[in-house]
């Protein structure tokens, strides 16, 4: 299920076809609301994750499970990439800007660089000759994760679904760390029959 929630048996989905996209909206036991759409963009099939709001008390790791299964299903369906707006709003608790890059999303860091002198200075020292700085570039710097968490901003994020893309490799490593943290296995996060599709 491209909503990414195939592992949850009670997901309710409403699918609507428009002339330019297919839209999916729904909810479930641990999901208060989600919205996705699929469209052709620049000659590629793109899945856009608009909203995922989990219910209070949702089990730890469920967002990871939903996304990992979504990646597998999207790859099987022939989708080229997943996009989302990695949002930051501290007062409302929106933390996509720091969560999604850990799972393999990437995008331009221009917004953050233009609003933080500290971040811009650190990046210029580490990448003196690089013009187009991506979020992944910052995260690969020493203390880059801390700098991004402090100074990062909302950004247009892309997850590349090509086999062995940087996005897929980052997600694989993230799943290993998450499983260890949950005292579990990667296979428990992603259904065993599908784990090798990553």
């Amino acid at each position: 299920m491209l909503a990414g929630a195939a592992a949850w048996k009670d997901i309710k989905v409403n699918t609507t076809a428009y002339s330019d996209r297919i839209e999916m909206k729904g909810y479930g036991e641990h999901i208060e609301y989600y919205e996705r759409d699929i469209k052709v963009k620049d000659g590629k099939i793109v899945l856009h994750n608009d909203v995922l709001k989990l219910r209070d008390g949702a089990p730890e790791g469920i967002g990871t499970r939903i996304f990992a299964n979504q990646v597998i299903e999207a790859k099987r369906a022939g989708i080229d990439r997943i996009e989302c707006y990695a949002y930051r709003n501290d007062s409302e608790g929106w933390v996509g800007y720091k969560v999604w890059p850990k799972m393999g999303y990437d995008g331009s860091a221009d917004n953050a660089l233009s609003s933080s002198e500290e971040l811009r200075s650190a990046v210029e020292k580490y990448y003196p000759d690089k013009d187009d700085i991506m979020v992944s570039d910052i995260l690969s710097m020493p203390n880059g994760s801390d700098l991004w968490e402090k100074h990062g901003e909302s950004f247009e994020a892309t997850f590349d679904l090509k086999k062995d893309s940087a996005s897929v490799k980052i997600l694989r490593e993230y799943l290993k760390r998450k499983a260890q943290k949950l005292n579990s296995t990667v296979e428990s996060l992603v259904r065993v029959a599908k784990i090798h599709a990553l």
Side-chain angles (χ1 to χ4, degrees):
M1 177 183 284
L2 295 177
W8 316 110
K9 60 185 174 213
D10 74 334
I11 297 301
K12 309 299 182 220
V13 182
N14 181 22
T15 303
T16 307
Y18 296 94
S19 61
D20 63 339
R21 71 189 187 285
I22 298 170
E23 183 180 82
M24 295 168 285
K25 295 181 180 181
Y27 61 93
E29 178 184 1
H30 302 298
I31 301 170
E32 186 172 317
Y33 178 74
Y34 73 85
E35 186 173 330
R36 312 282 187 250
D37 64 56
I38 301 172
K39 64 178 92 175
V40 176
K41 189 173 171 185
D42 304 324
K44 302 289 185 183
I45 303 172
V46 177
L47 171 61
H48 194 277
N49 284 342
D50 297 308
V51 178
L52 172 63
K53 183 164 178 41
L54 298 176
R55 296 187 189 279
D56 291 340
E60 184 178 357
I62 193 167
T64 301
R65 288 181 174 101
I66 290 169
F67 183 64
N69 281 291
Q70 182 188 49
V71 166
I72 291 167
E73 294 296 338
K75 286 176 73 173
R76 286 184 170 183
I79 291 172
D80 295 292
R81 65 182 184 264
I82 303 173
E83 295 179 345
C84 77
Y85 188 63
Y87 190 51
R88 179 176 189 168
N89 185 316
D90 296 341
S91 64
E92 294 183 16
W94 292 98
V95 294
Y97 82 101
K98 68 179 180 180
V99 172
W100 293 125
K102 293 176 183 177
M103 293 191 213
Y105 276 99
D106 203 3
S108 172
D110 284 351
N111 288 345
L113 292 169
S114 64
S115 63
S116 169
E117 178 59 39
E118 182 182 350
L119 181 62
R120 185 170 53 253
S121 176
V123 168
E124 286 173 353
K125 285 179 186 170
Y126 198 77
Y127 296 107
D129 299 320
K130 189 167 181 165
D131 293 327
D132 299 322
I133 301 296
M134 303 293 280
V135 173
S136 60
D137 294 326
I138 295 171
L139 295 178
S140 68
M141 294 168 43
N143 298 321
S145 293
D146 293 335
L147 280 168
W148 184 252
E149 185 163 342
K150 181 178 178 184
H151 301 291
E153 295 286 346
S154 304
F155 69 100
E156 296 288 346
T158 299
F159 188 100
D160 183 354
L161 289 166
K162 286 195 295 289
K163 183 176 173 60
D164 292 326
S165 69
S167 294
V168 171
K169 289 176 182 176
I170 290 168
L171 179 60
R172 284 182 190 138
E173 291 305 311
Y174 180 82
L175 290 172
K176 289 177 189 174
R177 291 191 306 274
K178 190 69 169 181
Q180 189 173 34
K181 180 181 175 187
L182 296 172
N183 197 23
S184 186
T185 64
V186 172
E187 289 79 9
S188 71
L189 294 176
V190 180
R191 288 174 284 161
V192 176
K194 296 184 173 190
I195 188 66
H196 300 295
L198 263 180

